[in-house]
């Protein structure tokens, strides 16, 4: 079974028949916002209102945190035998997989991701994440250091408590899973605040978690805007806050922690990731991979390779090849399985992205293909834009320094390997990078000099749950994925016993 096994017409029919979640999930119950307020969820594919969802605020956040605290202190989740937590998490993964079509459809409707991508990539990574951390639930162990014959020292790893999770709209299931799954495996309870642009899939997942047997109050979801997120960040009874989003908003969460209870704040933030293509590289492979990834998910990825650093020796061939990738992309309705690039998430975001292209042209960059060179693709309604390639970009241009978060590739030219590394590191971000060369020794030397949390060599966006993910510099702190993520949701306790 795959998304392509269902026709465009069939996906449209399923969308019309879909029952959309619209209530907050607090303490095991589906409830409206306490104020009675609702907010529309608008589909970027056609501008239609999908549903009116509870617009939660501080009062709802208070109720959700109180429920999570009761569940942590009074229920048996944190003290449940690890093997039993493992079984519940496996049931949750099974139920998510059984509802894969519905969740993939919700993602495509609410944020515009092509259905083939939602089904085959986002849902696959989400299911794998819950299964992977389910297996870790009964494998976390403590230590017994040898402190001599007069005492016994025990170091135990315990759940951190109530975890607040704030996630963006671009990967509403995957990015949430990277935080929810390890926190649950460790025995924590959670309050999740999804983006107001894409709350539907997260609400549905919380309903499925109850079906899987997660106790009431263990996983709560409060939908709403900045007020709900601010209340979670400031709440004195939240022990850990995990956030994925922009660097600007990440700074707010650090301030909230300083102004409340000094909760631990883990941040996965923006990126301006470079792809260095060196003279001996396979230019066609580099162009196909970099082009495929900057336009993947409409360029709405923190790791998107938005800066292509081309050695002058390969610049012309590389530019032509990557422009061809952009020109050949099929932009259209995300519910069409043949679509490769859907719309941007909102009208405001499209204006922002296209504004960067206009500013780049005004600063001296050349629009090779894309927004300013061709009419907008896609249906007449909805927030579609063109995959865009800019050449002649220099390090000081705005498009080379700020995160566009759209399908815009800035091509910079390097005279030699040293200047390519300097261009790559000339950014406040440090989330990811890639190096393209056939010289293994050179690949190692260049990778070691790049200031980024992940460096791919002759590939991009490769990996699995075993490897950590996170950034240097203003791309954040801590790591999602891998066993290292569990460190964010646990505390170490030393018990010293005199003998």
């Amino acid at each position: 079974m795959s998304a392509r096994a269902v026709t465009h017409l069939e996906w449209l029919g399923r969308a019309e028949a879909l029952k959309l979640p619209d209530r907050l999930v607090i303490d095991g119950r589906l409830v409206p916002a306490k104020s009675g307020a609702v907010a529309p969820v608008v589909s970027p594919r056609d501008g239609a209102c999908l549903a009116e969802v509870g617009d939660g605020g501080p009062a709802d956040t208070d109720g959700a945190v109180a429920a999570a605290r009761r569940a942590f202190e009074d229920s048996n989740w944190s003290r449940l035998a690890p093997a039993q937590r493992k079984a519940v998490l496996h049931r949750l993964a099974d139920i998510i997989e059984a509802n894969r079509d519905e969740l993939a459809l919700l993602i495509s409707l609410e944020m515009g991701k092509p259905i083939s991508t939602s089904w085959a990539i986002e849902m696959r990574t989400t299911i794998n994440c819950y299964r992977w951390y389910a297996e870790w639930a009964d494998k976390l162990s403590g230590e017994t250091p040898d402190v001599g014959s007069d005492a016994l020292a025990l170091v135990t790893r315990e759940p951190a408590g109530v975890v607040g999770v704030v996630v963006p709209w671009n990967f509403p299931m995957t990015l949430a899973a990277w935080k929810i799954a390890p926190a649950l495996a460790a025995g924590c309870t959670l309050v999740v605040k999804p983006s107001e642009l894409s709350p539907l899939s997260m609400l549905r997942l919380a309903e499925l978690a109850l079906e899987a047997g997660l106790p009431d109050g263990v996983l709560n979801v409060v939908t709403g805007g900045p007020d709900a997120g601010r209340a979670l960040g400031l709440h004195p009874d939240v022990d850990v806050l995990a956030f994925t989003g922009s660097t600007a908003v990440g700074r707010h969460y650090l301030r909230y922690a300083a102004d409340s209870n000094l909760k631990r704040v883990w941040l996965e933030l923006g990126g301006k990731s470079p792809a260095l293509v060196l003279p001996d590289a396979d230019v066609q492979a580099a162009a196909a991979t970099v082009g495929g990834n900057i336009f993947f998910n409409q360029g709405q990825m923190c790791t998107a390779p938005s800066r292509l650093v081309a050695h002058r020796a390969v610049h012309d061939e590389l530019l032509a090849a990557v422009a061809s990738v952009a020109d050949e992309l099929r932009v259209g309705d995300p519910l069409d399985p043949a679509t490769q690039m859907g719309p941007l998430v909102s009208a405001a975001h499209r204006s922002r992205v296209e504004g960067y292209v206009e500013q780049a042209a005004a600063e001296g960059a050349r629009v090779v293909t894309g927004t300013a060179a061709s009419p907008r693709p896609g249906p007449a309604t909805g927030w579609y834009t063109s995959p865009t390639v800019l050449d002649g970009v220099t390090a000081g241009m705005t498009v080379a320094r700020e995160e566009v978060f759209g399908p815009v590739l800035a091509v910079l030219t390097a005279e030699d390997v040293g200047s390519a590394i300097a261009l790559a590191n000339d950014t406040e971000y440090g989330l990811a990078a890639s190096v393209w060369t056939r010289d293994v020794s050179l690949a190692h030397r260049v990778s070691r000099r790049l200031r980024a949390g992940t460096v791919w060599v002759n590939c991009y966006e490769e990996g699995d749950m075993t490897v950590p993910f996170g950034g240097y510099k203003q791309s954040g702190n801590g790591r999602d994925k891998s066993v290292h993520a569990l460190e964010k949701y646990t505390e170490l306790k030393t018990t010293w016993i005199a003998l």
Side-chain angles (χ1 to χ4, degrees), residues 44-47 331-333 343 350 376-384:
R45 63 182 290 267
D46 57 6
V331 181
D333 184 356
R350 182 176 69 178
R376 284 178 178 151
T381 57
W383 301 308
Y384 299 85

Side-chain angles (χ1 to χ4, degrees), residues 50-302:
L50 293 169
E52 292 189 327
V53 171
D55 189 11
D60 303 287
T61 301
D62 285 345
V65 173
R69 177 58 62 188
R70 284 193 303 272
F72 183 76
E73 302 290 351
D74 301 336
S75 83
N76 63 357
W77 182 252
S78 62
R79 296 182 296 277
L80 195 65
Q84 292 176 277
R85 278 206 303 273
K86 170 181 173 177
V88 174
L89 288 173
H90 271 301
R91 283 201 300 273
L92 176 56
D94 290 342
I95 287 178
I96 293 172
E97 186 161 29
N99 290 270
R100 184 174 186 166
D101 287 5
E102 178 188 2
L103 290 167
L105 185 54
L106 287 172
I107 293 167
S108 293
L109 288 170
E110 65 188 354
M111 63 77 52
K113 194 189 305 287
I115 188 65
S116 297
T117 303
S118 297
W119 195 96
I121 298 178
E122 177 144 16
M123 289 312 305
R124 172 177 55 79
T125 58
T126 298
I127 294 163
N128 288 348
C129 180
Y130 283 102
R131 291 202 195 286
W132 200 83
Y133 282 108
E135 286 297 325
W136 269 103
D138 63 353
K139 296 174 181 64
L140 292 174
S141 59
E143 305 168 23
T144 54
D146 187 348
V147 295
S149 59
D150 294 333
L152 173 66
L154 302 176
V155 181
T156 52
R157 188 175 290 277
E158 301 181 353
V162 175
V163 176
V165 171
V166 182
V167 288
W169 43 262
N170 58 326
F171 285 87
M173 286 285 91
T174 300
L175 297 180
W178 285 0
K179 295 165 174 39
I180 294 171
L184 288 176
C188 297
T189 58
L190 298 103
V191 178
V192 180
K193 209 292 281 186
S195 168
E196 61 270 34
L197 297 178
S198 61
L200 302 178
S201 55
M202 190 65 241
L203 287 174
R204 181 62 182 135
L205 184 136
E207 295 174 4
L208 296 174
L210 295 173
E211 292 181 24
L214 214 60
D216 294 349
V218 171
L219 178 60
N220 307 275
V221 177
V222 176
T223 53
D227 286 348
R230 185 182 305 111
L232 196 57
L234 287 168
H235 206 290
D237 213 20
V238 172
D239 301 296
V240 176
L241 194 289
F243 171 76
T244 293
S246 72
T247 299
V249 176
R251 288 192 177 97
H252 287 303
Y253 280 102
L254 289 174
R255 295 188 189 104
Y256 298 153
D259 291 342
S260 55
N261 62 343
L262 291 178
K263 62 176 65 65
R264 283 185 287 167
V265 178
W266 300 108
L267 303 172
E268 193 268 282
L269 305 175
K272 196 68 187 172
S273 301
L276 287 70
V277 183
L278 304 181
D280 66 333
D282 182 334
V283 172
Q284 295 302 316
T289 303
V290 173
N293 279 279
I294 181 58
F295 305 130
F296 175 75
N297 206 45
Q298 296 80 263
Q300 298 167 143
M301 293 202 307
C302 50

